[in-house]
Amino acid sequence: VLGALPADQAASVLYLGDGQNTARLSDARALQALAEQYRVRQVSISGYGVGPQLDMQSLGMLAVQTGGNVSLDSRSDQKQST
């Protein structure tokens, strides 16, 4: 996604999903490195968590590290917004 965004202006990415790790980022350092790439390019990542098993740690970390935010589906087991 980052490569498709203009390099000379800020942008935002909206992630819809449960935050589960399907990209096989095996540790927190790899996820932090990904967030750093987006932060340096001034691209915020906001998440909209859906599903019964949300990985709030991943959703929250990406949002906090890049200046985004996290909202949850009203049917989620975790009904609070962060």
Side-chain angles (χ1 to χ4, degrees), residues 17-18 47-51 54-56 59 69-82:
D18 59 12
Y48 186 77
V50 295
L54 299 177
D55 183 349
M56 289 303 296
L59 290 170
N69 59 58
V70 176
S71 296
L72 304 177
D73 177 57
S74 63
R75 294 171 290 177
S76 168
D77 291 342
Q78 304 171 17
K79 293 183 175 70
Q80 66 186 47
S81 288
T82 57

Side-chain angles (χ1 to χ4, degrees), residues 11-81:
S12 296
V13 171
L14 175 61
Y15 169 81
L16 302 172
D18 59 12
Q20 299 290 323
N21 184 1
T22 59
R24 305 292 182 243
L25 296 174
S26 59
D27 60 26
R29 284 176 285 168
L31 194 57
Q32 281 186 305
L34 178 68
E36 177 68 8
Q37 291 175 13
Y38 279 77
R39 188 190 65 73
V40 166
R41 289 273 306 273
Q42 297 181 352
V43 177
S44 65
I45 300 174
S46 292
Y48 186 77
V50 295
Q53 296 179 321
L54 299 177
D55 183 349
M56 289 303 296
Q57 184 173 0
S58 294
L59 290 170
M61 194 283 294
L62 287 171
V64 167
Q65 294 293 320
T66 63
N69 59 58
V70 176
S71 296
L72 304 177
D73 177 57
S74 63
R75 294 171 290 177
S76 168
D77 291 342
Q78 304 171 17
K79 293 183 175 70
Q80 66 186 47
S81 288

